[in-house]
């Protein structure tokens, strides 16, 4: 209601902006139902979901390995940590020329951009989570005979889970940004392609409809997956508020 009132006041009464600059709620709703009725949205969501899950799972695996290696070896920590931070600040769209040259305009290029876009966020969360573990946990585990892999598996990794989950959520958001950048550069089906068509046709209602779909998908995944994991971890570690 606030959205539609703001549109009516800005366009019809005060004439501050044009209808193609900021759409009305009903125009966006009609466009959204139009995309649903002709199956364009369902096809795009399935295609984008397949790409983002493939790229994100790859980034989690790579980020986990990189983070553990950096923490384990002091030489890598001193030399790679600044590079990882710098790579994380680099926008995902900067990797598109490399992806196109190496893989061409296909699925592999988009998955590559997604993986690179979120790998370093996961790696940084692993590094930060492990480094901030209380030394008392490590000393207590060592006095009870925990060494090597057993120390990592039973003490280090569980203690770093809160930071790891935060990094996974951040990596998920970076993966979405990389996905949109990759899909908007190719003609393949996906949410990014629908977004690009709306931009090319100056159809701001379609652009806004796709943005709403992306927000809904992100919130849904957070509630169903990350939210549940986070609640379980906080409950196990006694971090929930009374």
């Amino acid at each position: 209601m606030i959205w539609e009132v703001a549109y009516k006041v800005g366009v019809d009464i005060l004439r501050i902006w044009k209808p193609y600059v900021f759409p009305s709620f009903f125009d966006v709703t009609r466009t959204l139902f139009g995309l649903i009725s002709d199956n364009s949205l369902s096809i795009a969501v399935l295609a984008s979901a397949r790409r983002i899950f493939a790229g994100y799972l790859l980034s989690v695996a790579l980020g986990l390995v990189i983070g553990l290696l950096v923490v384990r070896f002091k030489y890598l920590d001193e030399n790679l940590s600044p590079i990882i931070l710098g790579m994380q600040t680099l926008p995902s769209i900067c990797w598109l020329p490399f992806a196109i040259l190496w893989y061409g305009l296909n699925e592999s290029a988009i998955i590559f951009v997604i993986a690179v876009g979120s790998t370093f966020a996961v790696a940084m969360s692993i590094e930060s989570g492990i480094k901030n573990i209380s030394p008392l946990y490590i000393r207590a585990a060592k006095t009870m005979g925990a060494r090597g892999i057993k120390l990592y598996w039973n003490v280090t990794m569980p203690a770093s889970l809160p930071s790891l989950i935060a990094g996974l959520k951040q990596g998920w958001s970076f993966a979405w940004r990389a996905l949109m950048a990759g899909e908007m550069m190719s003609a393949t089906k996906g949410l990014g392609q629908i977004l690009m068509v709306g931009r090319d046709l100056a159809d701001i209602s379609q652009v806004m409809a796709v943005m709403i779909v992306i927000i809904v998908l992100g919130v849904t995944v957070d509630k169903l997956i990350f939210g549940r994991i986070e609640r379980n971890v906080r409950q196990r570690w006694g971090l929930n508020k009374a």
Side-chain angles (χ1 to χ4, degrees):
M1 186 174 63
I2 295 174
W3 180 354
E4 187 64 21
V5 169
Y7 173 81
K8 292 294 184 182
V9 172
V11 174
D12 297 335
I13 300 176
L14 300 179
R15 301 184 185 276
I16 299 175
W17 63 77
K18 300 295 183 181
Y20 57 81
V21 175
F22 184 79
S24 73
F25 171 78
F26 294 110
D27 289 341
V28 174
T29 303
R30 281 193 293 269
T31 301
L32 187 58
F33 278 106
L35 293 173
I36 294 174
S37 62
D38 62 5
N39 290 328
S40 298
L41 186 61
S42 60
I43 294 173
V45 169
L46 290 175
S48 295
R50 183 177 66 251
R51 297 184 188 111
I52 194 170
F53 278 112
Y56 179 67
L57 291 177
L58 181 60
S59 70
V60 170
L62 293 174
L64 185 63
V65 172
I66 294 173
L68 290 176
L69 288 176
V70 168
V71 173
R72 178 66 179 82
F73 299 101
K74 184 178 180 181
Y75 177 82
L76 294 179
D77 184 18
E78 293 175 348
N79 293 277
L80 283 186
S81 292
I83 297 177
I84 293 174
L85 178 61
M87 299 290 272
Q88 175 58 31
T89 59
L90 191 67
S92 301
I93 198 170
C94 295
W95 292 101
L96 282 175
F98 292 97
I100 295 172
L101 289 173
W102 293 345
Y103 300 100
L105 290 173
N106 52 33
E107 296 284 309
S108 300
I110 299 176
I111 293 175
F112 168 79
V113 174
I114 296 171
V116 174
S118 58
T119 293
F120 301 107
V122 177
M124 289 176 61
S125 69
I126 289 286
E127 178 187 359
S128 176
I130 293 178
K131 285 183 178 180
N132 292 326
I133 294 175
S134 174
L136 292 176
Y137 295 157
I138 306 299
R139 294 197 201 104
K142 288 182 177 180
T143 58
M144 291 186 284
R147 294 290 187 278
I149 296 178
K150 183 178 291 186
L151 178 64
Y152 263 88
W153 184 256
N154 295 324
V155 179
T156 304
M157 292 304 296
S160 64
L161 277 179
S163 296
L164 174 59
I165 294 171
L168 292 177
K169 293 173 67 174
Q170 186 180 26
W172 175 253
S173 65
F174 279 108
W176 268 108
R177 299 175 188 179
L179 173 67
M180 292 299 104
E183 288 185 344
M184 290 180 70
M185 289 295 294
S186 64
T188 185
K189 293 185 181 297
L191 291 173
Q193 191 262 345
I194 297 179
L195 195 66
M196 183 180 63
V197 171
R199 180 201 64 186
D200 294 340
L201 298 177
D203 188 352
I204 191 65
S205 297
Q206 182 164 314
V207 173
M208 186 72 77
V210 176
M211 291 171 62
I212 292 174
V213 171
I214 294 173
I215 292 173
V216 170
L217 290 175
V219 172
T220 301
V221 171
D222 180 71
K223 293 294 183 182
L224 295 180
I225 300 178
F226 295 115
R228 291 184 177 181
I229 296 174
E230 193 171 21
R231 284 194 300 270
N232 291 335
V233 170
R234 292 179 65 85
Q235 183 177 2
R236 183 168 182 176
W237 284 92
L239 299 176
N240 288 331
K241 295 181 179 179

